[in-house]
Amino acid sequence: MRLLGIGVGLCAAALAVGLSAAPARAGGELPDLRGGGGGGAGAGWALKDTGKDARFRGLAAVSRSTAWVAGSKGTVLRTVDGGRSWQDVSPPAAVAEGLELRDVEAFDARRAVALSIGEGEASRVLRTEDGGATWTETFRNPDPRAFYDCLTFFDSRHGLAMSDPVDGKFRILSTDDGGRSWRVLPADGMPAALPGEAGFAASGQCLVAAGPRDVWLATGGGATARVLHSADRGLTWRAAESTVPAGDPARGVFALAFRDRTRGLAVGGDYRTGQASPQAAALSSDGGRTWSRAATPPPAYRSGAAWYPYGGAAALAVGPTGTDVTLDGGRTWRSLDAGSFDTVDCAPDAGCWAAGEKGRVARLERR
């Protein structure tokens, strides 16, 4: 989003909170967010030293052992040992040009696609097939009016990226070969954008997919914060108003998370420090057609969200002032951690990771 400082870079140890312990599973004992008051060991963020000071807003959790982060100064890091060590696999050109890498999507430990944001040619897509040893630039935005914010993949071949409105409509970029090539989709099926409406390049979660064809796009900056849904991989879209406050360039929905094609979460608020965000979360049970307010929302702006793979109603939300957990599908939230994070992602094996400012990366672990 070009209207906000967050579009160009603006927007303690982890605290454990008593949560019941999960049973042992393959690969070790995992944290459990399902609650129940059993007095178990609990779960919390365990910080992993990256040795970097970049701000990581891009995050891809592949598993409990493997994760990728992408951020400022063209920085990309990868771990394959649960965060004990990190490899700097930054694309040399991105580092040299100081690109802002705000999203990364990884298929495994070797294949990943990263998005840099900015007006015109600053918006690019980079791809690696060898764990970041080499990178190929597969898209460079030729239109000075476009500003790409987020990307997402349905599977290892099909994916989309979204730009703030051009000629009054959000622009969608599509790939069907794993990010090797991209094309701009026709705008005929995209509703008109509201005045001032755009996406937020805050956590790589303003565009998210669930299943083989469904995708959702989050907006802010306009009179209302909306969620747009497509059931045909971005060809046609339907817009719905969320309950997250908007009406200002700094307010709106910053991140979405869909557990499946029906159950979704939206988080956001006002990203400015010290500004209240009284209704920072919403939930949907009909694929984003309608949204309702969280009865007990997070206490402040949140920029990232992720469903926890075990326990169908558990999810996490993160922001500069802390992490919150819901155990009832987003209806009520409570504090988990007071540390600053910008984005969160959970892998199918319950490997949940969070990343943010000053090189902060953490994994959710039992206490």
Side-chain angles (χ1 to χ4, degrees), residues 253-271:
V253 176
F254 281 70
L256 297 168
F258 272 81
R259 190 170 194 86
D260 48 42
R261 67 189 311 267
T262 60
R263 293 176 290 171
L265 301 172
V267 299
D270 191 320
Y271 80 85

mmCIF file with all atom_site columns, all heavy atoms in Angstrom, residues 253-271:
data_model
loop_
_atom_site.group_PDB
_atom_site.id
_atom_site.type_symbol
_atom_site.label_atom_id
_atom_site.label_alt_id
_atom_site.label_comp_id
_atom_site.label_asym_id
_atom_site.label_entity_id
_atom_site.label_seq_id
_atom_site.pdbx_PDB_ins_code
_atom_site.Cartn_x
_atom_site.Cartn_y
_atom_site.Cartn_z
_atom_site.occupancy
_atom_site.B_iso_or_equiv
_atom_site.pdbx_formal_charge
_atom_site.auth_seq_id
_atom_site.auth_comp_id
_atom_site.auth_asym_id
_atom_site.auth_atom_id
_atom_site.pdbx_PDB_model_num
ATOM 1   N N   . VAL A 1 253 ? -8.313  -4.194  7.296  1.00 0.00 ? 253 VAL A N   1
ATOM 2   C CA  . VAL A 1 253 ? -7.928  -5.586  7.492  1.00 0.00 ? 253 VAL A CA  1
ATOM 3   C C   . VAL A 1 253 ? -6.505  -5.766  6.972  1.00 0.00 ? 253 VAL A C   1
ATOM 4   O O   . VAL A 1 253 ? -6.227  -5.528  5.798  1.00 0.00 ? 253 VAL A O   1
ATOM 5   C CB  . VAL A 1 253 ? -8.888  -6.544  6.761  1.00 0.00 ? 253 VAL A CB  1
ATOM 6   C CG1 . VAL A 1 253 ? -8.409  -7.986  6.911  1.00 0.00 ? 253 VAL A CG1 1
ATOM 7   C CG2 . VAL A 1 253 ? -10.308 -6.403  7.296  1.00 0.00 ? 253 VAL A CG2 1
ATOM 8   N N   . PHE A 1 254 ? -5.616  -6.198  7.845  1.00 0.00 ? 254 PHE A N   1
ATOM 9   C CA  . PHE A 1 254 ? -4.219  -6.365  7.480  1.00 0.00 ? 254 PHE A CA  1
ATOM 10  C C   . PHE A 1 254 ? -3.871  -7.806  7.134  1.00 0.00 ? 254 PHE A C   1
ATOM 11  O O   . PHE A 1 254 ? -2.909  -8.056  6.416  1.00 0.00 ? 254 PHE A O   1
ATOM 12  C CB  . PHE A 1 254 ? -3.319  -5.880  8.618  1.00 0.00 ? 254 PHE A CB  1
ATOM 13  C CG  . PHE A 1 254 ? -3.172  -4.392  8.687  1.00 0.00 ? 254 PHE A CG  1
ATOM 14  C CD1 . PHE A 1 254 ? -4.234  -3.590  9.075  1.00 0.00 ? 254 PHE A CD1 1
ATOM 15  C CD2 . PHE A 1 254 ? -1.969  -3.778  8.358  1.00 0.00 ? 254 PHE A CD2 1
ATOM 16  C CE1 . PHE A 1 254 ? -4.108  -2.215  9.138  1.00 0.00 ? 254 PHE A CE1 1
ATOM 17  C CE2 . PHE A 1 254 ? -1.837  -2.393  8.417  1.00 0.00 ? 254 PHE A CE2 1
ATOM 18  C CZ  . PHE A 1 254 ? -2.911  -1.607  8.810  1.00 0.00 ? 254 PHE A CZ  1
ATOM 19  N N   . ALA A 1 255 ? -4.634  -8.761  7.667  1.00 0.00 ? 255 ALA A N   1
ATOM 20  C CA  . ALA A 1 255 ? -4.306  -10.170 7.423  1.00 0.00 ? 255 ALA A CA  1
ATOM 21  C C   . ALA A 1 255 ? -5.558  -11.024 7.470  1.00 0.00 ? 255 ALA A C   1
ATOM 22  O O   . ALA A 1 255 ? -6.497  -10.743 8.222  1.00 0.00 ? 255 ALA A O   1
ATOM 23  C CB  . ALA A 1 255 ? -3.303  -10.668 8.460  1.00 0.00 ? 255 ALA A CB  1
ATOM 24  N N   . LEU A 1 256 ? -5.548  -12.068 6.663  1.00 0.00 ? 256 LEU A N   1
ATOM 25  C CA  . LEU A 1 256 ? -6.611  -13.061 6.635  1.00 0.00 ? 256 LEU A CA  1
ATOM 26  C C   . LEU A 1 256 ? -6.026  -14.441 6.886  1.00 0.00 ? 256 LEU A C   1
ATOM 27  O O   . LEU A 1 256 ? -4.847  -14.701 6.589  1.00 0.00 ? 256 LEU A O   1
ATOM 28  C CB  . LEU A 1 256 ? -7.308  -13.076 5.271  1.00 0.00 ? 256 LEU A CB  1
ATOM 29  C CG  . LEU A 1 256 ? -8.030  -11.809 4.843  1.00 0.00 ? 256 LEU A CG  1
ATOM 30  C CD1 . LEU A 1 256 ? -8.398  -11.893 3.360  1.00 0.00 ? 256 LEU A CD1 1
ATOM 31  C CD2 . LEU A 1 256 ? -9.269  -11.570 5.692  1.00 0.00 ? 256 LEU A CD2 1
ATOM 32  N N   . ALA A 1 257 ? -6.855  -15.332 7.428  1.00 0.00 ? 257 ALA A N   1
ATOM 33  C CA  . ALA A 1 257 ? -6.483  -16.742 7.560  1.00 0.00 ? 257 ALA A CA  1
ATOM 34  C C   . ALA A 1 257 ? -7.745  -17.567 7.370  1.00 0.00 ? 257 ALA A C   1
ATOM 35  O O   . ALA A 1 257 ? -8.750  -17.324 8.052  1.00 0.00 ? 257 ALA A O   1
ATOM 36  C CB  . ALA A 1 257 ? -5.869  -17.012 8.932  1.00 0.00 ? 257 ALA A CB  1
ATOM 37  N N   . PHE A 1 258 ? -7.705  -18.508 6.445  1.00 0.00 ? 258 PHE A N   1
ATOM 38  C CA  . PHE A 1 258 ? -8.846  -19.410 6.217  1.00 0.00 ? 258 PHE A CA  1
ATOM 39  C C   . PHE A 1 258 ? -8.411  -20.838 6.499  1.00 0.00 ? 258 PHE A C   1
ATOM 40  O O   . PHE A 1 258 ? -7.427  -21.327 5.939  1.00 0.00 ? 258 PHE A O   1
ATOM 41  C CB  . PHE A 1 258 ? -9.374  -19.265 4.788  1.00 0.00 ? 258 PHE A CB  1
ATOM 42  C CG  . PHE A 1 258 ? -10.404 -18.170 4.669  1.00 0.00 ? 258 PHE A CG  1
ATOM 43  C CD1 . PHE A 1 258 ? -10.012 -16.847 4.565  1.00 0.00 ? 258 PHE A CD1 1
ATOM 44  C CD2 . PHE A 1 258 ? -11.760 -18.467 4.714  1.00 0.00 ? 258 PHE A CD2 1
ATOM 45  C CE1 . PHE A 1 258 ? -10.958 -15.822 4.483  1.00 0.00 ? 258 PHE A CE1 1
ATOM 46  C CE2 . PHE A 1 258 ? -12.714 -17.458 4.636  1.00 0.00 ? 258 PHE A CE2 1
ATOM 47  C CZ  . PHE A 1 258 ? -12.314 -16.130 4.523  1.00 0.00 ? 258 PHE A CZ  1
ATOM 48  N N   . ARG A 1 259 ? -9.165  -21.480 7.396  1.00 0.00 ? 259 ARG A N   1
ATOM 49  C CA  . ARG A 1 259 ? -8.874  -22.864 7.737  1.00 0.00 ? 259 ARG A CA  1
ATOM 50  C C   . ARG A 1 259 ? -9.285  -23.790 6.606  1.00 0.00 ? 259 ARG A C   1
ATOM 51  O O   . ARG A 1 259 ? -8.649  -24.817 6.347  1.00 0.00 ? 259 ARG A O   1
ATOM 52  C CB  . ARG A 1 259 ? -9.594  -23.258 9.011  1.00 0.00 ? 259 ARG A CB  1
ATOM 53  C CG  . ARG A 1 259 ? -9.145  -24.591 9.557  1.00 0.00 ? 259 ARG A CG  1
ATOM 54  C CD  . ARG A 1 259 ? -9.686  -24.866 10.942 1.00 0.00 ? 259 ARG A CD  1
ATOM 55  N NE  . ARG A 1 259 ? -8.981  -25.979 11.553 1.00 0.00 ? 259 ARG A NE  1
ATOM 56  C CZ  . ARG A 1 259 ? -7.840  -25.878 12.226 1.00 0.00 ? 259 ARG A CZ  1
ATOM 57  N NH1 . ARG A 1 259 ? -7.281  -24.686 12.381 1.00 0.00 ? 259 ARG A NH1 1
ATOM 58  N NH2 . ARG A 1 259 ? -7.245  -26.929 12.736 1.00 0.00 ? 259 ARG A NH2 1
ATOM 59  N N   . ASP A 1 260 ? -10.360 -23.441 5.920  1.00 0.00 ? 260 ASP A N   1
ATOM 60  C CA  . ASP A 1 260 ? -10.872 -24.164 4.773  1.00 0.00 ? 260 ASP A CA  1
ATOM 61  C C   . ASP A 1 260 ? -11.652 -23.154 3.948  1.00 0.00 ? 260 ASP A C   1
ATOM 62  O O   . ASP A 1 260 ? -11.523 -21.950 4.163  1.00 0.00 ? 260 ASP A O   1
ATOM 63  C CB  . ASP A 1 260 ? -11.732 -25.364 5.208  1.00 0.00 ? 260 ASP A CB  1
ATOM 64  C CG  . ASP A 1 260 ? -12.755 -24.982 6.276  1.00 0.00 ? 260 ASP A CG  1
ATOM 65  O OD1 . ASP A 1 260 ? -13.375 -23.896 6.154  1.00 0.00 ? 260 ASP A OD1 1
ATOM 66  O OD2 . ASP A 1 260 ? -12.934 -25.747 7.240  1.00 0.00 ? 260 ASP A OD2 1
ATOM 67  N N   . ARG A 1 261 ? -12.498 -23.582 3.035  1.00 0.00 ? 261 ARG A N   1
ATOM 68  C CA  . ARG A 1 261 ? -13.166 -22.624 2.161  1.00 0.00 ? 261 ARG A CA  1
ATOM 69  C C   . ARG A 1 261 ? -14.349 -21.929 2.829  1.00 0.00 ? 261 ARG A C   1
ATOM 70  O O   . ARG A 1 261 ? -14.987 -21.076 2.220  1.00 0.00 ? 261 ARG A O   1
ATOM 71  C CB  . ARG A 1 261 ? -13.605 -23.293 0.861  1.00 0.00 ? 261 ARG A CB  1
ATOM 72  C CG  . ARG A 1 261 ? -14.683 -24.331 0.981  1.00 0.00 ? 261 ARG A CG  1
ATOM 73  C CD  . ARG A 1 261 ? -14.852 -25.071 -0.351 1.00 0.00 ? 261 ARG A CD  1
ATOM 74  N NE  . ARG A 1 261 ? -14.975 -24.160 -1.479 1.00 0.00 ? 261 ARG A NE  1
ATOM 75  C CZ  . ARG A 1 261 ? -16.132 -23.732 -1.964 1.00 0.00 ? 261 ARG A CZ  1
ATOM 76  N NH1 . ARG A 1 261 ? -17.268 -24.115 -1.401 1.00 0.00 ? 261 ARG A NH1 1
ATOM 77  N NH2 . ARG A 1 261 ? -16.162 -22.930 -2.998 1.00 0.00 ? 261 ARG A NH2 1
ATOM 78  N N   . THR A 1 262 ? -14.634 -22.246 4.101  1.00 0.00 ? 262 THR A N   1
ATOM 79  C CA  . THR A 1 262 ? -15.740 -21.587 4.800  1.00 0.00 ? 262 THR A CA  1
ATOM 80  C C   . THR A 1 262 ? -15.296 -20.785 6.024  1.00 0.00 ? 262 THR A C   1
ATOM 81  O O   . THR A 1 262 ? -15.774 -19.682 6.247  1.00 0.00 ? 262 THR A O   1
ATOM 82  C CB  . THR A 1 262 ? -16.815 -22.587 5.240  1.00 0.00 ? 262 THR A CB  1
ATOM 83  O OG1 . THR A 1 262 ? -16.240 -23.555 6.124  1.00 0.00 ? 262 THR A OG1 1
ATOM 84  C CG2 . THR A 1 262 ? -17.418 -23.302 4.038  1.00 0.00 ? 262 THR A CG2 1
ATOM 85  N N   . ARG A 1 263 ? -14.377 -21.312 6.840  1.00 0.00 ? 263 ARG A N   1
ATOM 86  C CA  . ARG A 1 263 ? -14.039 -20.688 8.118  1.00 0.00 ? 263 ARG A CA  1
ATOM 87  C C   . ARG A 1 263 ? -12.840 -19.764 7.984  1.00 0.00 ? 263 ARG A C   1
ATOM 88  O O   . ARG A 1 263 ? -11.733 -20.207 7.645  1.00 0.00 ? 263 ARG A O   1
ATOM 89  C CB  . ARG A 1 263 ? -13.756 -21.756 9.170  1.00 0.00 ? 263 ARG A CB  1
ATOM 90  C CG  . ARG A 1 263 ? -14.975 -22.589 9.557  1.00 0.00 ? 263 ARG A CG  1
ATOM 91  C CD  . ARG A 1 263 ? -14.592 -23.676 10.526 1.00 0.00 ? 263 ARG A CD  1
ATOM 92  N NE  . ARG A 1 263 ? -13.783 -24.706 9.883  1.00 0.00 ? 263 ARG A NE  1
ATOM 93  C CZ  . ARG A 1 263 ? -13.176 -25.689 10.550 1.00 0.00 ? 263 ARG A CZ  1
ATOM 94  N NH1 . ARG A 1 263 ? -13.274 -25.743 11.866 1.00 0.00 ? 263 ARG A NH1 1
ATOM 95  N NH2 . ARG A 1 263 ? -12.491 -26.604 9.886  1.00 0.00 ? 263 ARG A NH2 1
ATOM 96  N N   . GLY A 1 264 ? -13.097 -18.460 8.235  1.00 0.00 ? 264 GLY A N   1
ATOM 97  C CA  . GLY A 1 264 ? -12.049 -17.479 8.065  1.00 0.00 ? 264 GLY A CA  1
ATOM 98  C C   . GLY A 1 264 ? -11.919 -16.513 9.222  1.00 0.00 ? 264 GLY A C   1
ATOM 99  O O   . GLY A 1 264 ? -12.864 -16.272 9.977  1.00 0.00 ? 264 GLY A O   1
ATOM 100 N N   . LEU A 1 265 ? -10.727 -15.906 9.349  1.00 0.00 ? 265 LEU A N   1
ATOM 101 C CA  . LEU A 1 265 ? -10.426 -14.889 10.336 1.00 0.00 ? 265 LEU A CA  1
ATOM 102 C C   . LEU A 1 265 ? -9.863  -13.672 9.621  1.00 0.00 ? 265 LEU A C   1
ATOM 103 O O   . LEU A 1 265 ? -9.155  -13.791 8.615  1.00 0.00 ? 265 LEU A O   1
ATOM 104 C CB  . LEU A 1 265 ? -9.389  -15.389 11.339 1.00 0.00 ? 265 LEU A CB  1
ATOM 105 C CG  . LEU A 1 265 ? -9.734  -16.636 12.154 1.00 0.00 ? 265 LEU A CG  1
ATOM 106 C CD1 . LEU A 1 265 ? -8.508  -17.084 12.941 1.00 0.00 ? 265 LEU A CD1 1
ATOM 107 C CD2 . LEU A 1 265 ? -10.912 -16.360 13.074 1.00 0.00 ? 265 LEU A CD2 1
ATOM 108 N N   . ALA A 1 266 ? -10.179 -12.502 10.138 1.00 0.00 ? 266 ALA A N   1
ATOM 109 C CA  . ALA A 1 266 ? -9.612  -11.250 9.654  1.00 0.00 ? 266 ALA A CA  1
ATOM 110 C C   . ALA A 1 266 ? -9.104  -10.472 10.857 1.00 0.00 ? 266 ALA A C   1
ATOM 111 O O   . ALA A 1 266 ? -9.812  -10.357 11.866 1.00 0.00 ? 266 ALA A O   1
ATOM 112 C CB  . ALA A 1 266 ? -10.660 -10.429 8.907  1.00 0.00 ? 266 ALA A CB  1
ATOM 113 N N   . VAL A 1 267 ? -7.880  -9.942  10.768 1.00 0.00 ? 267 VAL A N   1
ATOM 114 C CA  . VAL A 1 267 ? -7.336  -9.127  11.850 1.00 0.00 ? 267 VAL A CA  1
ATOM 115 C C   . VAL A 1 267 ? -6.756  -7.851  11.257 1.00 0.00 ? 267 VAL A C   1
ATOM 116 O O   . VAL A 1 267 ? -6.374  -7.796  10.085 1.00 0.00 ? 267 VAL A O   1
ATOM 117 C CB  . VAL A 1 267 ? -6.261  -9.865  12.668 1.00 0.00 ? 267 VAL A CB  1
ATOM 118 C CG1 . VAL A 1 267 ? -6.840  -11.115 13.311 1.00 0.00 ? 267 VAL A CG1 1
ATOM 119 C CG2 . VAL A 1 267 ? -5.050  -10.211 11.811 1.00 0.00 ? 267 VAL A CG2 1
ATOM 120 N N   . GLY A 1 268 ? -6.684  -6.826  12.078 1.00 0.00 ? 268 GLY A N   1
ATOM 121 C CA  . GLY A 1 268 ? -6.145  -5.548  11.618 1.00 0.00 ? 268 GLY A CA  1
ATOM 122 C C   . GLY A 1 268 ? -6.303  -4.482  12.672 1.00 0.00 ? 268 GLY A C   1
ATOM 123 O O   . GLY A 1 268 ? -5.948  -4.684  13.824 1.00 0.00 ? 268 GLY A O   1
ATOM 124 N N   . GLY A 1 269 ? -6.861  -3.339  12.244 1.00 0.00 ? 269 GLY A N   1
ATOM 125 C CA  . GLY A 1 269 ? -7.017  -2.211  13.146 1.00 0.00 ? 269 GLY A CA  1
ATOM 126 C C   . GLY A 1 269 ? -6.318  -0.987  12.595 1.00 0.00 ? 269 GLY A C   1
ATOM 127 O O   . GLY A 1 269 ? -6.307  -0.753  11.384 1.00 0.00 ? 269 GLY A O   1
ATOM 128 N N   . ASP A 1 270 ? -5.690  -0.224  13.469 1.00 0.00 ? 270 ASP A N   1
ATOM 129 C CA  . ASP A 1 270 ? -4.952  0.996   13.126 1.00 0.00 ? 270 ASP A CA  1
ATOM 130 C C   . ASP A 1 270 ? -3.491  0.755   13.472 1.00 0.00 ? 270 ASP A C   1
ATOM 131 O O   . ASP A 1 270 ? -3.147  0.565   14.636 1.00 0.00 ? 270 ASP A O   1
ATOM 132 C CB  . ASP A 1 270 ? -5.515  2.178   13.916 1.00 0.00 ? 270 ASP A CB  1
ATOM 133 C CG  . ASP A 1 270 ? -4.985  3.522   13.436 1.00 0.00 ? 270 ASP A CG  1
ATOM 134 O OD1 . ASP A 1 270 ? -3.780  3.595   13.114 1.00 0.00 ? 270 ASP A OD1 1
ATOM 135 O OD2 . ASP A 1 270 ? -5.759  4.490   13.396 1.00 0.00 ? 270 ASP A OD2 1
ATOM 136 N N   . TYR A 1 271 ? -2.613  0.750   12.458 1.00 0.00 ? 271 TYR A N   1
ATOM 137 C CA  . TYR A 1 271 ? -1.227  0.365   12.695 1.00 0.00 ? 271 TYR A CA  1
ATOM 138 C C   . TYR A 1 271 ? -0.409  1.430   13.403 1.00 0.00 ? 271 TYR A C   1
ATOM 139 O O   . TYR A 1 271 ? 0.700   1.155   13.885 1.00 0.00 ? 271 TYR A O   1
ATOM 140 C CB  . TYR A 1 271 ? -0.537  -0.027  11.387 1.00 0.00 ? 271 TYR A CB  1
ATOM 141 C CG  . TYR A 1 271 ? -0.061  1.131   10.544 1.00 0.00 ? 271 TYR A CG  1
ATOM 142 C CD1 . TYR A 1 271 ? 1.173   1.735   10.766 1.00 0.00 ? 271 TYR A CD1 1
ATOM 143 C CD2 . TYR A 1 271 ? -0.840  1.624   9.513  1.00 0.00 ? 271 TYR A CD2 1
ATOM 144 C CE1 . TYR A 1 271 ? 1.616   2.792   9.992  1.00 0.00 ? 271 TYR A CE1 1
ATOM 145 C CE2 . TYR A 1 271 ? -0.414  2.679   8.725  1.00 0.00 ? 271 TYR A CE2 1
ATOM 146 C CZ  . TYR A 1 271 ? 0.814   3.260   8.967  1.00 0.00 ? 271 TYR A CZ  1
ATOM 147 O OH  . TYR A 1 271 ? 1.236   4.315   8.204  1.00 0.00 ? 271 TYR A OH  1
#
